[in-house]
Amino acid sequence: MRFLLSGLIVLLIFVYACKKNEDITNLEANVNQAYAFDIGNAWEVNISTKVKGFMEQENNGKFKMSLAYTIDLVTPAGKTISGITSKTEDKIDKEKLPDFILDSQFNLDTTYAAGKYKAIINIRDVITGKTASATGTFDLTKE
């Protein structure tokens, strides 16, 4: 009888752990679009990233999510500039969101040379601590 009870407890813990893991999804990010345009004395860079798998906290029928991100820039010469910009996006909505479009924007001054740049977006779900990254490329060109 004692072994049966021990076995049943172990089985219940295993089933609970498996059920709990089913609810956990990975944080995913994909750059939809990255581009830059000349605004005279600087370049304006815009990056649109689709994020999925973040946690939302429900409170009084509203859902809150929070994503923090930093962007690292790789120059045409291969030099990496860490943390060119960073921000936290908080969103409260009446319904659960299946995904979120993270629109980021920053300026580069005229000291940045023309060429192909790579932007690495490092995203962290503030609620769960999960991280994801995505990469987009854009050109600085005078037209």
CSV table of all heavy atoms in Angstrom, one decimal, residues 82-109:
chain,number,residue,atom,x,y,z
A,82,SER,N,27.2,48.5,-29.3
A,82,SER,CA,26.2,47.9,-28.4
A,82,SER,C,25.3,48.9,-27.8
A,82,SER,O,25.7,50.0,-27.4
A,82,SER,CB,26.9,47.1,-27.2
A,82,SER,OG,27.7,46.1,-27.7
A,83,GLY,N,24.0,48.6,-27.7
A,83,GLY,CA,23.0,49.5,-27.0
A,83,GLY,C,22.9,50.8,-27.7
A,83,GLY,O,22.8,51.8,-27.0
A,84,ILE,N,22.8,50.8,-29.0
A,84,ILE,CA,22.6,52.1,-29.7
A,84,ILE,C,21.3,52.8,-29.2
A,84,ILE,O,21.2,54.0,-29.2
A,84,ILE,CB,22.6,52.0,-31.2
A,84,ILE,CG1,22.8,53.3,-31.9
A,84,ILE,CG2,21.5,51.2,-31.8
A,84,ILE,CD1,24.1,53.5,-32.5
A,85,THR,N,20.3,52.0,-28.9
A,85,THR,CA,19.1,52.5,-28.3
A,85,THR,C,18.5,51.4,-27.4
A,85,THR,O,18.7,50.2,-27.6
A,85,THR,CB,18.1,53.0,-29.3
A,85,THR,OG1,17.0,53.6,-28.7
A,85,THR,CG2,17.5,51.8,-30.2
A,86,SER,N,17.7,51.8,-26.4
A,86,SER,CA,16.9,50.8,-25.6
A,86,SER,C,15.7,51.5,-25.1
A,86,SER,O,15.6,52.7,-25.0
A,86,SER,CB,17.8,50.4,-24.4
A,86,SER,OG,18.1,51.5,-23.6
A,87,LYS,N,14.7,50.6,-24.8
A,87,LYS,CA,13.4,51.1,-24.4
A,87,LYS,C,12.6,49.9,-23.9
A,87,LYS,O,12.9,48.8,-24.1
A,87,LYS,CB,12.7,51.7,-25.6
A,87,LYS,CG,11.4,52.5,-25.3
A,87,LYS,CD,10.8,53.1,-26.6
A,87,LYS,CE,9.6,53.8,-26.3
A,87,LYS,NZ,8.9,54.4,-27.4
A,88,THR,N,11.5,50.3,-23.1
A,88,THR,CA,10.6,49.3,-22.6
A,88,THR,C,9.2,49.7,-23.2
A,88,THR,O,8.8,50.8,-23.0
A,88,THR,CB,10.5,49.2,-21.1
A,88,THR,OG1,11.8,48.9,-20.6
A,88,THR,CG2,9.5,48.2,-20.6
A,89,GLU,N,8.5,48.7,-23.8
A,89,GLU,CA,7.2,48.9,-24.3
A,89,GLU,C,6.2,48.2,-23.4
A,89,GLU,O,6.3,47.0,-23.2
A,89,GLU,CB,7.1,48.3,-25.7
A,89,GLU,CG,7.8,49.1,-26.8
A,89,GLU,CD,7.1,50.3,-27.2
A,89,GLU,OE1,5.9,50.5,-27.1
A,89,GLU,OE2,7.9,51.2,-27.8
A,90,ASP,N,5.2,48.9,-22.8
A,90,ASP,CA,4.2,48.4,-22.0
A,90,ASP,C,2.9,48.6,-22.8
A,90,ASP,O,2.6,49.6,-23.4
A,90,ASP,CB,4.1,49.1,-20.7
A,90,ASP,CG,5.3,48.9,-19.8
A,90,ASP,OD1,5.8,47.8,-19.7
A,90,ASP,OD2,5.8,49.9,-19.3
A,91,LYS,N,2.0,47.5,-22.7
A,91,LYS,CA,0.8,47.6,-23.5
A,91,LYS,C,-0.3,47.0,-22.6
A,91,LYS,O,-0.1,45.9,-22.0
A,91,LYS,CB,0.9,46.9,-24.8
A,91,LYS,CG,-0.4,46.7,-25.5
A,91,LYS,CD,-0.5,47.7,-26.7
A,91,LYS,CE,-1.7,47.4,-27.6
A,91,LYS,NZ,-2.5,48.5,-27.9
A,92,ILE,N,-1.4,47.7,-22.5
A,92,ILE,CA,-2.6,47.2,-21.8
A,92,ILE,C,-3.7,47.1,-22.8
A,92,ILE,O,-4.0,48.1,-23.5
A,92,ILE,CB,-3.0,48.1,-20.5
A,92,ILE,CG1,-1.8,48.1,-19.5
A,92,ILE,CG2,-4.3,47.6,-19.9
A,92,ILE,CD1,-2.0,49.0,-18.4
A,93,ASP,N,-4.4,46.0,-22.9
A,93,ASP,CA,-5.5,45.8,-23.8
A,93,ASP,C,-6.6,45.0,-23.2
A,93,ASP,O,-6.4,44.3,-22.2
A,93,ASP,CB,-4.9,45.0,-25.0
A,93,ASP,CG,-5.7,45.3,-26.3
A,93,ASP,OD1,-6.9,45.2,-26.3
A,93,ASP,OD2,-5.0,45.7,-27.3
A,94,LYS,N,-7.8,45.1,-23.8
A,94,LYS,CA,-9.0,44.4,-23.3
A,94,LYS,C,-8.9,42.9,-23.6
A,94,LYS,O,-9.6,42.2,-23.0
A,94,LYS,CB,-10.2,45.0,-23.9
A,94,LYS,CG,-10.5,46.4,-23.4
A,94,LYS,CD,-11.7,47.0,-24.1
A,94,LYS,CE,-11.9,48.4,-23.6
A,94,LYS,NZ,-13.1,49.1,-24.3
A,95,GLU,N,-8.2,42.5,-24.6
A,95,GLU,CA,-8.1,41.1,-25.0
A,95,GLU,C,-6.6,40.7,-25.1
A,95,GLU,O,-5.7,41.5,-25.2
A,95,GLU,CB,-8.8,40.8,-26.3
A,95,GLU,CG,-8.9,41.9,-27.2
A,95,GLU,CD,-9.8,41.5,-28.4
A,95,GLU,OE1,-11.0,41.7,-28.4
A,95,GLU,OE2,-9.2,41.1,-29.4
A,96,LYS,N,-6.4,39.4,-25.0
A,96,LYS,CA,-5.1,38.8,-25.1
A,96,LYS,C,-4.5,39.0,-26.5
A,96,LYS,O,-5.3,38.8,-27.4
A,96,LYS,CB,-5.1,37.3,-24.7
A,96,LYS,CG,-4.4,37.0,-23.5
A,96,LYS,CD,-4.4,35.5,-23.2
A,96,LYS,CE,-3.0,35.2,-22.7
A,96,LYS,NZ,-2.8,34.2,-21.9
A,97,LEU,N,-3.3,39.4,-26.6
A,97,LEU,CA,-2.7,39.6,-27.9
A,97,LEU,C,-1.9,38.4,-28.3
A,97,LEU,O,-1.1,37.9,-27.6
A,97,LEU,CB,-1.7,40.8,-27.8
A,97,LEU,CG,-2.3,42.1,-27.4
A,97,LEU,CD1,-1.2,43.1,-27.2
A,97,LEU,CD2,-3.3,42.6,-28.4
A,98,PRO,N,-2.1,37.9,-29.6
A,98,PRO,CA,-1.4,36.7,-30.1
A,98,PRO,C,0.1,37.1,-30.4
A,98,PRO,O,1.0,36.3,-30.4
A,98,PRO,CB,-2.1,36.3,-31.3
A,98,PRO,CG,-2.9,37.5,-31.8
A,98,PRO,CD,-3.2,38.3,-30.5
A,99,ASP,N,0.3,38.4,-30.8
A,99,ASP,CA,1.6,38.9,-31.1
A,99,ASP,C,1.6,40.4,-31.0
A,99,ASP,O,0.5,41.0,-30.7
A,99,ASP,CB,2.0,38.5,-32.5
A,99,ASP,CG,1.0,38.9,-33.6
A,99,ASP,OD1,0.5,40.1,-33.6
A,99,ASP,OD2,0.7,38.1,-34.5
A,100,PHE,N,2.8,41.0,-31.1
A,100,PHE,CA,2.9,42.4,-30.9
A,100,PHE,C,3.9,42.9,-31.9
A,100,PHE,O,5.0,42.3,-32.1
A,100,PHE,CB,3.3,42.8,-29.5
A,100,PHE,CG,3.5,44.2,-29.2
A,100,PHE,CD1,2.4,45.0,-29.0
A,100,PHE,CD2,4.7,44.8,-29.0
A,100,PHE,CE1,2.5,46.4,-28.8
A,100,PHE,CE2,4.9,46.1,-28.8
A,100,PHE,CZ,3.8,46.9,-28.6
A,101,ILE,N,3.6,44.1,-32.6
A,101,ILE,CA,4.6,44.7,-33.5
A,101,ILE,C,5.3,45.7,-32.7
A,101,ILE,O,4.8,46.7,-32.2
A,101,ILE,CB,3.9,45.3,-34.7
A,101,ILE,CG1,3.1,44.2,-35.5
A,101,ILE,CG2,4.9,46.0,-35.6
A,101,ILE,CD1,3.9,43.1,-36.0
A,102,LEU,N,6.6,45.5,-32.5
A,102,LEU,CA,7.5,46.4,-31.8
A,102,LEU,C,8.1,47.3,-32.8
A,102,LEU,O,8.9,46.9,-33.7
A,102,LEU,CB,8.6,45.6,-31.1
A,102,LEU,CG,9.5,46.3,-30.2
A,102,LEU,CD1,8.8,46.9,-29.0
A,102,LEU,CD2,10.6,45.3,-29.7
A,103,ASP,N,7.7,48.6,-32.8
A,103,ASP,CA,8.3,49.6,-33.8
A,103,ASP,C,9.3,50.4,-33.0
A,103,ASP,O,9.0,51.0,-32.0
A,103,ASP,CB,7.2,50.5,-34.3
A,103,ASP,CG,6.3,49.8,-35.3
A,103,ASP,OD1,6.8,49.0,-36.1
A,103,ASP,OD2,5.1,50.0,-35.2
A,104,SER,N,10.6,50.4,-33.5
A,104,SER,CA,11.6,51.1,-32.9
A,104,SER,C,12.2,52.1,-33.9
A,104,SER,O,12.2,51.9,-35.1
A,104,SER,CB,12.7,50.2,-32.3
A,104,SER,OG,13.1,49.3,-33.3
A,105,GLN,N,12.7,53.2,-33.3
A,105,GLN,CA,13.2,54.3,-34.2
A,105,GLN,C,14.4,54.9,-33.5
A,105,GLN,O,14.3,55.2,-32.2
A,105,GLN,CB,12.1,55.3,-34.5
A,105,GLN,CG,12.5,56.4,-35.3
A,105,GLN,CD,11.4,57.4,-35.5
A,105,GLN,OE1,10.8,57.9,-34.5
A,105,GLN,NE2,11.0,57.7,-36.7
A,106,PHE,N,15.4,55.2,-34.2
A,106,PHE,CA,16.6,56.0,-33.6
A,106,PHE,C,17.3,56.7,-34.8
A,106,PHE,O,17.1,56.4,-35.9
A,106,PHE,CB,17.5,55.0,-32.9
A,106,PHE,CG,18.1,53.9,-33.7
A,106,PHE,CD1,19.3,54.1,-34.4
A,106,PHE,CD2,17.4,52.7,-33.9
A,106,PHE,CE1,19.8,53.0,-35.2
A,106,PHE,CE2,18.0,51.7,-34.6
A,106,PHE,CZ,19.2,51.8,-35.3
A,107,ASN,N,18.1,57.7,-34.4
A,107,ASN,CA,18.8,58.5,-35.4
A,107,ASN,C,20.3,58.1,-35.3
A,107,ASN,O,20.9,57.8,-34.3
A,107,ASN,CB,18.6,60.0,-35.1
A,107,ASN,CG,17.2,60.4,-35.4
A,107,ASN,OD1,16.5,59.8,-36.1
A,107,ASN,ND2,16.9,61.6,-34.9
A,108,LEU,N,20.9,58.2,-36.5
A,108,LEU,CA,22.4,58.1,-36.6
A,108,LEU,C,22.9,59.4,-37.2
A,108,LEU,O,22.3,59.9,-38.2
A,108,LEU,CB,22.7,56.9,-37.6
A,108,LEU,CG,22.3,55.5,-37.1
A,108,LEU,CD1,22.6,54.5,-38.2
A,108,LEU,CD2,23.0,55.2,-35.8
A,109,ASP,N,23.9,60.0,-36.7
A,109,ASP,CA,24.4,61.3,-37.2
A,109,ASP,C,25.2,61.0,-38.5
A,109,ASP,O,25.4,59.9,-38.9
A,109,ASP,CB,25.2,62.0,-36.2
A,109,ASP,CG,26.5,61.3,-35.7
A,109,ASP,OD1,27.1,60.6,-36.5
A,109,ASP,OD2,26.9,61.5,-34.6
